């Protein structure tokens, strides 16, 4: 009799344990899918995008839907998997899409000479805002479009404020509204 | 990729998570010319290798070209060198474009079995390994691309969809 009651208790306990585990698993799956395919936040460092992004580090929100739909254009800041090292992700600005003719300063610190190149089919030309200290398409050439992982949407300055100055015109169809209890977000369009 | 993969289509299993990709593996890569297309090719050269290949195997001249594979890139070729748009057309492919490694064929059933990494076929390709010399820094400093990029559009306006569009199962984590 005692054994039967214990068994029932164990069964309900086991059921609850399984339910909780499934819930946690579902949550992590959702988190992973959102991070990989919808939107994610990353910390970027380095001097190549100064003054747009800080040298010491910035947390930015990167959305991945625009790149899959092909809505990336010149002027967008994108994160790109580095062609010379697939484990490295770099943040640069797109200057030219396929077919565009891009003119760039070859070595601005030492000379004034410029070069023009037509971006081949299926590639993009990326360049850092700080041309003096940026390893970008001027060094490794045009980047295949499939290496572009996401488009930078906004920068988080101080939670819960969001600095949307990086919001580019091409992203107007993906308005993200962040509702917080205490303050409203500053929106620059 | 004939004769390794059938012209009419094959159902293959693709390993999505990263394993060490070496020369001779059949891989799926996102085409650098069209980001929505995934093609199956064989890796014939890793970074640092010097690849010598026939410029046009259909012609009988022995004109060869030698290319050094850059850092972080792989050289991919189709098994059917006479009719394949691969690294000979669009240059070395960045490793970030590798999509997965093909390791098993499921359909057609009479060709069921593993698609292992073959030894490199002799004759049309010669790939020499270069031992990486740590004292020599990679010449990335002001390495301007040549004025005619290796992936310039071909002279003959042929839209050769060599990427045999196949359905694949993938093990995703």
């Amino acid at each position: 009799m005692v054994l039967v009651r214990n068994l029932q208790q164990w069964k309900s306990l086991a059921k609850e344990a399984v339910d909780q585990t499934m819930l946690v698993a579902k949550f992590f799956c959702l988190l992973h899918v959102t991070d990989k395919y919808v939107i994610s936040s990353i910390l970027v460092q380095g001097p190549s995008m100064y003054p747009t992004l800080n040298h010491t580090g910035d947390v930015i929100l990167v959305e991945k839907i625009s790149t899959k739909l092909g809505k990336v254009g010149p002027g967008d800041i994108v994160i790109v998997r580095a062609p010379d090292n697939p484990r490295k992700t770099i943040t640069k600005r797109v200057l030219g899409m396929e077919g565009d003719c891009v003119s760039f300063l070859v070595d601005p610190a030492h000379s004034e000479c410029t070069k023009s190149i037509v971006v081949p089919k299926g590639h993009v030309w990326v360049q850092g805002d700080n041309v003096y200290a940026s390893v970008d398409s001027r060094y490794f050439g045009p980047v295949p479009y499939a290496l572009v992982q996401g488009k930078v949407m906004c920068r988080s300055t101080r939670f819960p404020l969001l600095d949307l100055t990086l919001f580019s015109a091409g992203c107007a169809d993906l308005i993200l509204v962040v509702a917080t209890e205490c303050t409203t977000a500053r929106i620059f369009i | 990729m004939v004769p390794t993969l059938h012209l009419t289509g094959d159902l293959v299993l693709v390993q999505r998570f990263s394993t060490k990709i070496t020369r001779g593996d059949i891989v799926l890569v996102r085409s650098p010319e069209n980001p929505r297309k995934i093609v199956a090719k064989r890796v014939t050269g890793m970074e640092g290798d010097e690849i010598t290949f026939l410029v046009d195997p259909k012609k009988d001249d022995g004109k060869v070209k030698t290319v050094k594979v850059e850092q972080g890139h792989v050289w991919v070729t189709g098994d059917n060198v006479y009719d394949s748009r691969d690294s000979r057309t669009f240059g070395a492919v960045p490793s970030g474009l590798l999509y997965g490694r093909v390791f098993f064929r499921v359909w057609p059933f009479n060709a069921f079995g593993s698609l292992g990494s073959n030894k490199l076929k002799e004759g049309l390709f010669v790939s020499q390994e270069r031992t990486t010399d740590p004292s020599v820094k990679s010449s990335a400093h002001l390495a301007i691309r040549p004025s005619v990029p290796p992936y310039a559009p071909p002279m003959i306006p042929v839209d050769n969809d060599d990427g045999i569009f196949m359905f694949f199962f993938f093990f995703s984590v």
Side-chain angles (χ1 to χ4, degrees):
Chain A
M1 216 35 223
V2 172
L3 214 66
V4 168
R5 214 171 339 137
N6 273 353
L7 197 68
Q8 279 184 342
Q9 270 182 344
W10 278 115
K11 254 175 65 170
S12 67
L13 200 68
K15 184 173 182 309
E16 195 177 325
V18 166
D19 279 345
Q20 294 282 28
T21 315
M22 286 306 294
L23 188 68
V24 169
K26 283 180 199 168
F27 173 71
F28 275 118
C29 285
L30 185 69
L31 203 66
H32 172 75
V33 166
T34 311
D35 187 68
K36 193 152 191 271
Y37 297 109
V38 180
I39 196 168
S40 81
S41 67
I42 57 174
L43 175 71
V44 291
Q45 292 175 329
S48 66
M49 283 295 287
Y50 187 81
T52 314
L53 298 173
N54 282 332
H55 178 167
T56 42
D58 257 342
V59 175
I60 53 176
L61 278 185
V62 173
E63 51 100 359
K64 320 242 163 148
I65 303 180
S66 293
T67 48
K68 293 272 191 301
L69 296 175
K71 287 192 191 298
V72 171
D76 293 338
I77 307 177
V78 292
I79 55 165
V80 166
R81 210 188 274 202
D84 48 358
N85 184 1
R87 295 181 218 272
K88 199 168 75 168
T89 317
I90 55 179
T91 317
K92 304 286 173 208
R93 196 181 289 270
V94 173
L95 285 197
M97 304 297 292
E98 63 184 16
D100 293 347
C101 184
V102 175
S103 301
F104 56 95
L105 285 162
V106 170
D107 190 14
H110 300 115
S111 70
E112 290 264 348
C113 70
T114 60
K115 230 178 167 297
S116 286
I117 195 170
V118 173
V119 182
K121 187 171 178 305
H123 290 68
V124 294
W125 187 269
V126 292
Q127 225 171 283
D129 283 353
N130 185 7
V131 284
Y132 299 100
S134 165
V135 174
D136 45 35
S137 282
R138 296 171 298 153
Y139 287 78
F140 45 68
V143 169
Y145 183 81
L147 285 179
V148 173
Q149 309 263 279
K151 191 160 82 162
V152 173
M153 249 187 72
C154 54
R155 167 176 49 196
S156 139
T157 49
R158 193 178 75 242
F159 186 80
L161 287 171
L162 276 180
D163 177 17
L164 290 172
T165 49
L166 302 176
F167 206 81
S168 69
C171 187
D173 43 83
L174 265 174
I175 305 280
L176 180 74
V177 177
V178 179
T180 65
E181 303 96 353
C182 14
T183 56
T184 55
R186 286 184 294 163
I187 299 179
F188 295 88
I189 299 200
Chain B
M1 277 290 287
V2 290
T4 316
L5 299 172
H6 297 96
L7 191 61
T8 44
D10 276 355
L11 203 64
V12 293
L13 296 181
V14 176
Q15 212 176 16
R16 287 298 307 280
F17 47 86
S18 61
T19 51
K20 270 288 171 209
I21 304 242
T22 53
R23 292 169 201 84
D25 285 344
I26 307 178
V27 291
L28 294 185
V29 283
R30 285 191 194 275
S31 167
E33 298 173 316
N34 182 358
R36 294 187 209 272
K37 200 163 82 166
I38 300 179
V39 297
K41 301 288 171 202
R42 195 183 289 272
V43 173
T44 40
M46 304 295 292
E47 63 183 10
D49 292 352
E50 285 195 355
I51 309 281
T52 307
F53 58 94
L54 284 167
V55 172
D56 193 2
K58 287 186 190 155
K59 290 201 209 133
D60 219 1
D61 54 10
K63 270 214 294 237
V64 290
K65 200 168 152 191
T66 307
V67 167
K68 188 168 189 306
V69 181
E70 302 134 350
Q71 184 85 5
H73 288 63
V74 293
W75 190 267
V76 291
T77 2
D79 281 353
N80 184 13
V81 286
Y82 301 101
D83 196 13
S84 165
R85 288 184 70 86
D86 45 34
S87 285
R88 296 168 299 155
T89 319
F90 46 69
V93 166
S95 304
L97 288 181
L98 290 176
Y99 190 73
R101 190 175 78 96
V102 175
F103 68 100
F104 203 84
R105 170 163 41 206
V106 174
W107 193 266
F109 197 66
N110 56 2
F112 189 88
S114 69
L115 285 168
S117 41
N118 293 342
K119 294 272 188 222
L120 274 182
K121 294 192 319 193
E122 304 293 336
L124 291 166
F125 282 91
V126 172
S127 140
Q128 292 159 2
E129 289 179 46
R130 282 267 157 173
T131 52
T132 50
D133 190 1
S135 63
V136 174
K137 278 202 295 197
S138 66
S139 59
H141 177 66
L142 289 182
I144 304 294
R145 285 280 167 123
S147 55
V148 178
Y151 33 74
M155 297 298 166
I156 308 160
V158 163
D159 184 21
N160 193 7
D161 191 356
D162 180 80
I164 297 173
F165 202 82
M166 55 184 138
F167 300 103
F168 50 84
F169 292 106
F170 48 91
F171 294 136
S172 62
V173 178

